[in-house]
Amino acid sequence: MKIEGKRRIWKDYQKEIAEDRYFYVRSCVRQNFFPGSERTFLRIMKDELNKDVFENAAHTTCSGIGYHSDIVPFETVMTMVARQFALMTESGYENFTTSCITSFGLYTEILETWQHFPDVELRVREHLKKATGREFIVPKNLSHASDVIFKFRKEIANKAKFKLINKHTGKPIQVVEHIGCHYSRMFPSKGVGGAEYPYVLVGMIEDWGGEVIDYPERRHCCGFGFRQYLVQANRGYSLSCSKKKFDSMAPYKPDCILTNCPGCPMFLDRWQYALSEMEGITYGENGQGIPVLTYEELAGMMLGYNPWDLGLQVHQVPVEPLLDKIGIPYNPEQKFLTLDGMSIGKPETPTFLKFY
Amino acid sequence: MECQLGNQKPPLFLNFTEMKKRIIIIGGGIAGMTVAGALPSNEFDIILIEKEILPGGHVAKWDRLFPSRRPAKEVLDFVQKSMAKNVVIKTGSTITTIHRDQNLFTLHLNGEEPIVGDAVVLATGFDLFDARKKEEYGYGIYNNVITSEELEQIFHEGKKLTTSEGKTPQRIGIIHCVGSRDEKVGNLYCSKVCCVTGVKQAIEIKEMLPECEIFSFYMDLRMYDRNFEELYYEAQQKWGINFIRGRLSECAENPGHSLIIKTEDTLTGHPLKMTVDMIILLVGFVPSPETKRIARMLDLQTGQDGFLLSSDEHYNDNSTSVPGVFLTGAVKGPACIVNTIADARATALQIERFLITGISE
């Protein structure tokens, strides 16, 4: 592996990311999957970086999941997205930042469509005006929230209380990075580092002290792939995709997996449990799994936030082995308690996957 | 740097009423040298300008040629010897500007006195496609991904083909159409010579490493010329080389630096995943930036593929829209050596006619 070859490609895929004043739109599903992530993003942006991040309560789904599942037509999706842009315009913001990768891909696709077919944009404007009376300006800057964290990764590193270093060995934590397909595969120039060797998560891992693992099935789908999961009969294929990735990365002994998509951490996390129950396979050391993190969770860990405030207790694969390697303190007694001390319930102990 | 095969050294700035007409050939590869050799040197002053230290172009780096696998040096020597001794060869020279004043061309070179001529021939050839642009193939990233040019250099230097770890490869993938017929990289054209080069190189690997398995992944095998098809048959029947119709989708590296390639066997309709020790990328032709730069100085037209346009692709394929400027060889698009030599000889005839009669078409 010649790292300089990758660095050359990374240089070719730089993108402009706004400095401040973000209109932030949440994901439909992330708050259910990894409930602390979006909250942590806002906490980092506002409390650590003193940035202006605004949310509008009238924001709705962009319907990207419906679009990519062949349920919602493109014309409808464009008008819904135009409404989100109108909310941004009405709020006095110009920089649009999405939490969801599929939303980011969809917004990118729509802006590209309008750039090449201005008549389509005019038609969508008419539809929006007729339906809602709203008007909009096209965002000055469109970014994914992982772009924003990438942009401020060095500032986060400077404020960090921990580094991605194994405190027992002194060596860098070994990280598998996995990018959501809709981040840059459709439009490589819109993602930091492009599509083949994306840099957006690599940059965070490197600047926070870790090392990235390049394994053969790095590019392979996480297992979500929309229809391969949403169509129930296809779920065996979804599981097979995830298994193929785990089998491929396991020889490199990763300490964790870092993701920037709503679906990827969900499937890479939950399917490890499913595979352990189905076949008795575990991919970490001593019956452990490979912890799967969102970039907000990892940033929060580096900044010393309480792991349970980050929502790490709702992961199917326990993250305690990773916390122990880095030396991040946590109170096991508080793992399944709410902020006011109420129990949130404790999951059943898996048959094979080591539970904490 | 100037090297002259004879003793007569013509002055570069001339009184043209008293002197022979001068032809300036830009590019010292097979095309340029053949033009120089085919022109009557007793009637014209011939100056050949080459930017590299030695003439020969791409062929000088090649070991053996398809389809007969004769040494490239034989052809190169023949072309070099065909040039008369009074042909002036200026190597290591880069053209900075070209001015056209009526029927004369003044070429300014880096740090040298200008050269004035009555006709200019562009024989600047081509570049090989930069395989790094096919990012998914991992050239420049994975150690055991090499190009057909690099393989040829290994043959040329008489080295043994090994992996980056010094091991004898047991299985090699040869990838056709890298940078050719590929809309994604902006090259829709076929580079013509890669198919047969791939077949030739596969046989040469088998000659060197009889135990090595070779898989060639192709879209079509365009065996268009004499003895090409026979070579393809020989590759299969005598050498057992496997040809799989399918384009490579991606390449990744295994822990031991072997490579996993993913493709599709389109004849059986199945996706295919295979581990190989190394892959060889058959890189195609692209117009060279130097050709484009000089073409801009001369107001020459380029086609959508970026190669230069002649006056007429059928009847006047060596002249241009600028009287006195001629094109030869791969500046007009991918061409094999046989066609390049024929084209260069035709160019010489057309220049001669132009300088004698004033007719450039």
Side-chain angles (χ1 to χ4, degrees):
Chain A
M1 179 83 68
K2 301 167 190 164
I3 191 68
E4 65 274 15
K6 284 189 178 179
R7 295 204 187 283
R8 190 194 65 81
I9 288 175
W10 292 334
K11 272 187 196 169
D12 291 343
Y13 293 99
Q14 303 285 325
K15 67 179 276 188
E16 190 181 338
I17 303 162
E19 180 70 29
D20 200 355
R21 290 187 53 74
Y22 306 95
F23 184 81
Y24 181 57
V25 291
R26 297 200 185 212
S27 153
C28 302
V29 295
R30 293 188 79 208
Q31 288 166 82
N32 292 323
F33 293 172
F34 298 92
S37 291
E38 290 178 337
R39 181 172 170 271
T40 301
F41 175 76
L42 294 170
R43 183 177 170 188
I44 293 170
M45 294 300 289
K46 291 177 179 177
D47 298 350
E48 306 287 350
L49 302 170
N50 297 315
K51 300 296 177 184
D52 177 357
V53 184
F54 184 81
E55 291 185 275
N56 189 316
H59 168 250
T60 66
T61 176
C62 70
S63 70
I65 291 179
Y67 172 57
H68 283 288
S69 304
D70 295 343
I71 296 167
V72 184
F74 195 44
E75 291 282 325
T76 309
V77 167
M78 284 193 290
T79 310
M80 293 177 75
V81 165
R83 182 179 168 279
Q84 323 286 25
F85 290 158
L87 295 178
M88 177 197 74
T89 306
E90 291 162 15
S91 305
Y93 286 78
E94 294 181 316
N95 303 321
F96 202 94
T97 300
T98 71
S99 167
C100 173
I101 281 288
T102 292
S103 296
F104 175 73
L106 185 58
Y107 289 128
T108 303
E109 183 177 350
I110 288 171
L111 290 176
E112 285 288 307
T113 303
W114 291 353
Q115 189 182 335
H116 292 286
F117 304 97
D119 54 316
V120 175
E121 181 184 341
L122 287 176
R123 197 165 67 239
V124 171
R125 285 181 180 277
E126 282 175 24
H127 292 165
L128 183 71
K129 184 78 176 174
K130 279 182 189 170
T132 68
R134 287 187 147 108
E135 294 179 344
F136 66 94
I137 57 163
V138 166
K140 190 175 171 184
N141 183 265
L142 174 67
S143 59
H144 183 253
S146 64
D147 293 332
V148 178
I149 293 292
F150 170 83
K151 182 180 178 70
F152 297 113
R153 66 195 186 283
K154 292 186 191 299
E155 286 84 343
I156 291 170
N158 290 337
K159 290 172 176 281
K161 294 187 170 53
F162 300 97
K163 294 192 85 172
L164 281 172
I165 301 289
N166 186 324
K167 71 170 191 177
H168 305 296
T169 64
K171 292 181 177 172
I173 293 290
Q174 301 296 300
V175 187
V176 157
E177 51 89 29
H178 181 86
I179 301 292
C181 296
H182 295 153
Y183 175 65
S184 59
R185 290 213 175 176
M186 297 184 290
F187 301 95
S189 65
K190 304 299 179 187
V192 177
E196 297 297 333
Y197 308 93
Y199 187 61
V200 63
L201 296 179
V202 173
M204 294 180 206
I205 295 163
E206 288 183 345
D207 278 311
W208 297 344
E211 266 183 11
V212 176
I213 289 170
D214 190 334
Y215 63 106
E217 295 294 354
R218 179 177 55 80
R219 297 180 180 108
H220 199 77
C221 172
C222 66
F224 183 19
F226 289 75
R227 290 181 68 94
Q228 67 202 44
Y229 178 78
L230 298 175
V231 178
Q232 197 168 4
N234 292 348
R235 286 185 185 169
Y237 184 64
S238 169
L239 195 58
S240 302
C241 283
S242 301
K243 183 177 184 301
K244 181 181 276 191
K245 286 186 77 71
F246 297 137
D247 287 343
S248 177
M249 70 175 77
Y252 296 84
K253 302 187 186 310
D255 295 309
C256 64
I257 300 169
L258 184 63
T259 62
N260 73 341
C261 173
C264 305
M266 172 75 176
F267 285 85
L268 293 172
D269 182 62
R270 271 46 162 188
W271 279 153
Q272 285 193 65
Y273 163 76
L275 284 165
S276 71
E277 293 296 319
M278 290 167 71
E279 300 196 4
I281 308 169
T282 53
Y283 290 96
E285 295 170 297
N286 306 319
Q288 298 161 357
I290 306 169
V292 185
L293 300 169
T294 69
Y295 56 94
E296 298 106 319
E297 289 171 343
L298 183 64
M301 284 166 57
M302 296 298 97
L303 290 165
Y305 296 176
N306 183 340
W308 311 141
D309 288 350
L310 297 173
L312 301 186
Q313 64 274 48
V314 302
H315 287 221
Q316 195 93 44
V317 175
V319 295
E320 283 87 341
L322 178 65
L323 299 175
D324 291 339
K325 281 178 190 168
I326 300 172
I328 296 173
Y330 57 93
N331 184 347
E333 303 299 323
Q334 294 176 347
K335 182 172 181 181
F336 295 109
L337 298 181
T338 61
L339 288 173
D340 54 2
M342 304 286 284
S343 170
I344 60 172
K346 194 173 178 180
E348 287 182 19
T349 303
T351 312
F352 299 102
L353 195 60
K354 195 167 181 182
F355 188 67
Y356 292 80
Chain B
M1 184 185 295
E2 187 171 315
C3 49
Q4 190 177 4
L5 301 179
N7 295 323
Q8 296 172 301
K9 182 180 177 184
L12 299 177
F13 243 121
L14 303 169
N15 177 349
F16 283 89
T17 56
E18 297 172 5
M19 302 296 292
K20 290 188 284 187
K21 291 196 172 177
R22 172 170 289 165
I23 301 156
I24 303 169
I25 301 164
I26 307 171
I30 288 285
M33 289 195 292
T34 302
V35 172
L39 285 165
S41 61
N42 55 340
E43 293 177 27
F44 304 113
D45 286 338
I46 302 165
I47 299 177
L48 190 139
I49 299 169
E50 167 57 42
K51 65 180 167 55
E52 302 294 339
I53 300 300
L54 291 172
H58 292 281
V59 179
K61 300 174 189 168
W62 231 247
D63 186 51
R64 284 184 280 171
L65 304 179
F66 60 76
S68 62
R69 306 206 288 285
R70 76 188 295 179
K73 191 173 182 309
E74 279 183 19
V75 174
L76 198 60
D77 287 348
F78 174 84
V79 172
Q80 280 182 319
K81 284 175 186 167
S82 72
M83 288 192 292
K85 289 187 176 177
N86 57 354
V87 171
V88 176
I89 303 172
K90 296 178 73 63
T91 57
S93 299
T94 303
I95 295 163
T96 53
T97 55
I98 302 177
H99 294 295
R100 181 178 172 226
D101 184 10
Q102 295 184 339
N103 296 327
L104 293 178
F105 299 90
T106 305
L107 279 70
H108 295 264
L109 308 181
N110 50 332
E112 298 180 45
E113 63 177 301
I115 304 171
V116 178
D118 301 88
V120 172
V121 185
L122 236 70
T124 42
F126 62 95
D127 275 2
L128 287 170
F129 175 76
D130 181 357
R132 294 179 301 184
K133 290 181 180 172
K134 289 296 289 179
E135 295 168 4
E136 61 271 36
Y137 292 178
Y139 178 72
I141 294 175
Y142 302 130
N143 297 331
N144 287 310
V145 181
I146 67 170
T147 66
S148 45
E149 184 189 35
E150 288 167 334
L151 177 63
E152 203 66 37
Q153 284 170 354
I154 290 168
F155 292 145
H156 194 44
E157 291 165 9
K159 293 179 181 169
K160 189 184 173 195
L161 180 63
T162 61
T163 65
S164 61
E165 300 74 48
K167 295 177 183 168
T168 301
Q170 301 297 310
R171 185 184 275 182
I172 291 176
I174 296 180
I175 315 301
H176 287 239
C177 295
V178 178
S180 307
R181 302 177 68 200
D182 187 347
E183 193 171 5
K184 191 177 169 187
V185 297
N187 297 341
L188 283 177
Y189 54 85
C190 168
S191 287
K192 291 185 182 175
V193 302
C194 325
C195 283
V196 68
T197 297
V199 172
K200 178 196 80 97
Q201 291 188 334
I203 291 172
E204 289 169 335
I205 294 170
K206 286 295 278 188
E207 286 175 332
M208 181 188 283
L209 308 170
E211 302 301 318
C212 183
E213 281 186 293
I214 299 176
F215 295 85
S216 284
F217 298 93
Y218 67 96
M219 291 202 290
D220 299 306
L221 282 168
R222 296 187 166 181
M223 297 294 157
Y224 62 91
D225 216 340
R226 194 174 184 187
N227 294 325
F228 286 13
E229 194 72 19
E230 287 84 344
L231 195 70
Y232 172 44
Y233 270 60
E234 181 189 331
Q236 295 171 89
Q237 292 173 340
K238 182 177 176 184
W239 300 100
I241 292 156
N242 302 286
F243 288 88
I244 297 174
R245 186 169 178 269
R247 191 159 204 168
L248 183 66
S249 65
E250 65 173 55
C251 174
E253 195 178 62
N254 277 321
H257 299 297
S258 62
L259 301 164
I260 286 188
I261 54 175
K262 290 183 181 176
T263 181
E264 183 185 5
D265 185 338
T266 59
L267 296 181
T268 62
H270 288 132
L272 192 66
K273 185 173 154 182
M274 181 184 283
T275 297
V276 294
D277 295 311
M278 61 194 309
I279 63 172
I280 291 150
L281 306 178
L282 294 171
V283 285
F285 284 41
V286 293
S288 75
E290 184 65 0
T291 299
K292 289 180 178 175
R293 190 177 71 85
I294 295 171
R296 278 195 296 274
M297 293 178 196
L298 290 164
D299 288 330
L300 300 179
Q301 294 176 312
T302 54
Q304 283 192 335
D305 56 8
F307 291 102
L308 301 186
L309 286 177
S310 59
S311 295
D312 185 291
E313 61 183 328
H314 293 110
Y315 301 118
N316 292 298
D317 198 29
N318 299 111
S319 60
T320 67
S321 55
V322 182
V325 177
F326 297 86
L327 308 177
T328 195
V331 290
K332 295 177 293 178
C336 65
I337 292 172
V338 172
N339 292 353
T340 298
I341 289 173
D343 190 56
R345 286 174 175 168
T347 308
L349 289 173
Q350 207 159 8
I351 296 166
E352 192 176 357
R353 189 162 86 122
F354 168 73
L355 292 178
I356 292 169
T357 67
I359 299 169
S360 65
E361 296 185 349

